[in-house]
Amino acid sequence: MSSNPHYNNPPADNAEDSDPDMLDEDDADEVLDAAGGDGDGDVAMGSDDEGDDGNEEILLQNDSIAYFDAHKDSVFAIAQHPTYPNLVATGGSEGDADDAPGKGYVVDTSAAASRPVLPASYNSDPTPAQSTDLQPIFSIDGHTDSINALAFTLPRGDYLASGGLDGRLRVYGIAVNNAGAAQFKFVGESQETEEVNWLAPCPSAEYPNTLALGASDGSVWVFNIDAADLANPIQIVQTYFLHTGPCTAGAWSPDGLLLATVSEDSSLHVFDVWGSAAAKSLVTDNGQTVVSLTDADQRFAVQGGLYSVAIAPSSSFLAVGGAGGSVRIIGLPRLSSPAAQTQQRTAASRRGGRAAASAVEPTNQAGAILAALNVQQDGIESLAFAPVPQTLLAAGSVDGSIAVFDTARSFAVRKHIQGAHEGESVVKVEFVKSATSQPAAAGWLLTSCGLDGTVRRWDLRGATAGAAVAGGAAAAAAAAASPLAKEWKGHRGGGEGGGVLGFVQGETGERIVTAGDDSLVLLFEA
């Protein structure tokens, strides 16, 4: 997973109250009781007296079924175990001091009981159910600066890795007993760079327990973890030094053969980590990459840098996002065998017809700029491809909008959800992989979070391009056109000192766990 330092805002008080209340100037440092308030939803307006000019009216709403509030500062990173999704790791800073150490926790979200689904006529609950107070089952220590990235290794989640702004990579082994209880044991530490920006686990079962790391000095590292090697449990597989600016994001191809990374210097490099491309003579002149593009190529150049990257399920092309709303689509080489490609196309065609089959068709145009998209107005902080058979690409922007493109139709804009997060930055977008409760919606449901403090779920099947989220006195027709399916509130919003900095939602999206800039971790239920 990647962690973006753009959101390292000053800390704020916890905002887990379920009832609205007034916060006077003299009480600014008071921690509000989550169970307090009269529950009637009314808030008195501030006085017009000269001495009350600093009063602030805060309306609080908490849709969560559970919360975790042990963090003392912003929660920058969150990760979910691949086979035990109830295990969630969170990381941030231990306090607001400049020299505060990093701190993380692992919580077991299965402790939170589901709430019954209410009938449509049920308007309010005079005695609302209390949120579950989650308790940590393990503490992540040893960082002298904020934990900026977390990742469980694939495919089985044998290890948990934490990366910090202190440059440390710390690894813990995980054992889960027959009763489902998890135990964590420190394996080792590596410090090869000054600051860790992101961690990404390799998805290939052929290369298990492998992690990629991107650093603020532009370097990229690939590690393999093996606790059985007591002398060297964290082994360096590859190192790359092609970026000249901070490496802001990285993504593995679904087959785990390629690693794509982007940088503030507006460069893209796709590394041939395991030599699969070299064996087919498909590497570039540097002998390390299958694609290398920089701002020297004016067709590719994005002034202001690149901040997000995602590789299509077919591994045949990728998307990069950067400043000014720029999205570039780049072709990748064919590495898997023709027989495997044919089998993949046939399976996709059976599931979703011609569009799905074309979505996995390899371009065989390594390094070709297949499309240059500029629908949004500000930086693209998150990109996500829908799982097959759908052919969608979603882009979340700092301008608060989400754009959805159809990769099977020349990347035409399918939807542009303006004001998706009320003018605040969209931090992350991610498709629900398998909607078990709504099989027909598989691949169409998109989850997003933003600095407005909300998490939203979008159903992309109905609305047309350009549909905007309705708000306030918006017309009923505009509201009906919005693809907004559901939203969850509970975090403090408003940008500085608030917002949701990340989330995990498992395969089904039935439970969403968030990382808040307000120091809270909340659990929402779809």
Side-chain angles (χ1 to χ4, degrees):
M1 82 182 280
S2 63
S3 179
N4 198 326
H6 294 183
Y7 302 116
N8 295 5
N9 297 316
D13 293 334
N14 290 0
E16 49 185 281
D17 302 72
S18 59
D19 300 304
D21 204 347
M22 289 292 298
L23 185 65
D24 293 328
E25 184 179 27
D26 295 336
D27 300 326
D29 294 326
E30 180 181 356
V31 179
L32 301 179
D33 184 357
D38 55 14
D40 60 9
D42 294 328
V43 179
M45 298 301 293
S47 170
D48 291 332
D49 294 343
E50 181 177 354
D52 293 333
D53 291 343
N55 287 359
E56 180 183 1
E57 179 185 348
I58 297 180
L59 183 64
L60 301 175
Q61 176 181 339
N62 192 346
D63 300 317
S64 67
I65 66 170
Y67 67 94
F68 177 67
D69 61 358
H71 286 280
K72 297 180 181 178
D73 198 4
S74 301
V75 185
F76 299 132
I78 187 168
Q80 189 170 31
H81 196 280
T83 57
Y84 298 95
N86 55 296
L87 298 179
V88 175
T90 61
S93 173
E94 183 67 358
D96 58 1
D98 291 339
D99 59 350
K103 183 73 174 183
Y105 302 93
V106 178
V107 296
D108 185 347
T109 62
S110 62
S114 297
R115 291 181 182 171
V117 177
L118 301 178
S121 61
Y122 201 87
N123 295 321
S124 63
D125 186 351
T127 57
Q130 296 296 311
S131 293
T132 300
D133 182 1
L134 298 175
Q135 298 299 315
I137 62 174
F138 180 73
S139 295
I140 305 170
D141 297 303
H143 287 278
T144 58
D145 205 338
S146 298
I147 293 176
N148 204 38
L150 291 165
F152 288 95
T153 59
L154 296 173
R156 298 180 303 272
D158 294 330
Y159 301 96
L160 169 64
S162 61
L165 293 180
D166 55 3
R168 287 182 169 90
L169 173 69
R170 291 176 62 81
V171 176
Y172 304 86
I174 306 170
V176 180
N177 61 26
N178 293 334
Q183 294 183 330
F184 294 79
K185 181 180 180 181
F186 179 68
V187 170
E189 175 184 294
S190 176
Q191 186 173 13
E192 307 294 344
T193 185
E194 292 184 0
E195 293 182 355
V196 176
N197 282 349
W198 54 265
L199 294 172
C202 177
S204 174
E206 187 176 353
Y207 305 103
N209 302 323
T210 298
L211 286 169
L213 176 156
S216 60
D217 61 5
S219 62
V220 176
W221 303 74
V222 180
F223 299 93
N224 181 259
I225 302 169
D226 183 5
D229 188 342
L230 300 179
N232 188 25
I234 305 176
Q235 303 163 7
I236 298 175
V237 177
Q238 299 284 1
T239 56
Y240 305 107
F241 300 92
L242 297 183
H243 293 298
T244 59
C247 185
T248 50
W252 289 91
S253 59
D255 56 17
L257 298 180
L258 300 175
L259 173 66
T261 63
V262 294
S263 169
E264 284 186 11
D265 66 6
S266 298
S267 64
L268 161 70
H269 297 295
V270 184
F271 297 103
D272 176 32
V273 178
W274 311 109
S276 301
K280 298 176 180 291
S281 300
L282 295 176
V283 293
T284 60
D285 292 341
N286 60 35
Q288 297 179 313
T289 65
V290 297
V291 172
S292 285
L293 292 171
T294 68
D295 58 3
D297 186 337
Q298 292 301 310
R299 300 170 302 163
F300 178 76
V302 175
Q303 185 175 2
L306 298 174
Y307 296 96
S308 54
V309 60
I311 300 181
S314 63
S315 298
S316 58
F317 59 90
L318 60 78
V320 297
S326 297
V327 176
R328 302 287 186 265
I329 309 298
I330 310 299
L332 294 175
R334 177 191 289 133
L335 294 184
S336 55
S337 66
Q341 292 288 345
T342 300
Q343 184 179 13
Q344 187 181 23
R345 290 196 299 273
T346 301
S349 181
R350 289 172 179 170
R351 292 191 298 267
R354 290 184 178 181
S358 63
V360 299
E361 182 71 36
T363 65
N364 205 28
Q365 301 179 64
I369 302 174
L370 306 180
L373 313 172
N374 283 88
V375 173
Q376 292 149 293
Q377 302 301 312
D378 211 334
I380 305 300
E381 295 290 340
S382 180
L383 291 165
F385 284 98
V388 292
Q390 308 309 333
T391 59
L392 304 177
L393 167 65
S397 172
V398 173
D399 69 8
S401 75
I402 297 173
V404 182
F405 307 93
D406 192 332
T407 66
R409 293 174 173 81
S410 302
F411 299 93
V413 179
R414 184 181 180 90
K415 292 177 179 64
H416 184 198
I417 311 170
Q418 301 176 17
H421 282 274
E422 302 175 2
E424 298 286 354
S425 294
V426 179
V427 178
K428 180 180 179 179
V429 292
E430 182 179 86
F431 283 91
V432 176
K433 296 180 177 63
S434 61
T436 54
S437 60
Q438 305 178 63
W444 291 104
L445 299 179
L446 179 74
T447 308
S448 66
C449 70
L451 294 189
D452 61 342
T454 65
V455 178
R456 291 192 164 107
R457 175 72 53 77
W458 312 91
D459 188 334
L460 303 176
R461 290 174 292 182
T464 58
V469 173
S482 170
L484 180 64
K486 192 169 184 179
E487 70 175 10
W488 299 271
K489 295 183 178 180
H491 287 285
R492 178 176 177 177
E496 183 173 338
V500 184
L501 304 185
F503 66 85
V504 292
Q505 61 178 352
E507 292 283 328
T508 65
E510 295 175 350
R511 284 190 165 188
I512 304 167
V513 188
T514 58
D517 198 21
D518 52 9
S519 80
L520 285 174
V521 174
L522 298 180
L523 170 60
F524 301 105
E525 195 163 52

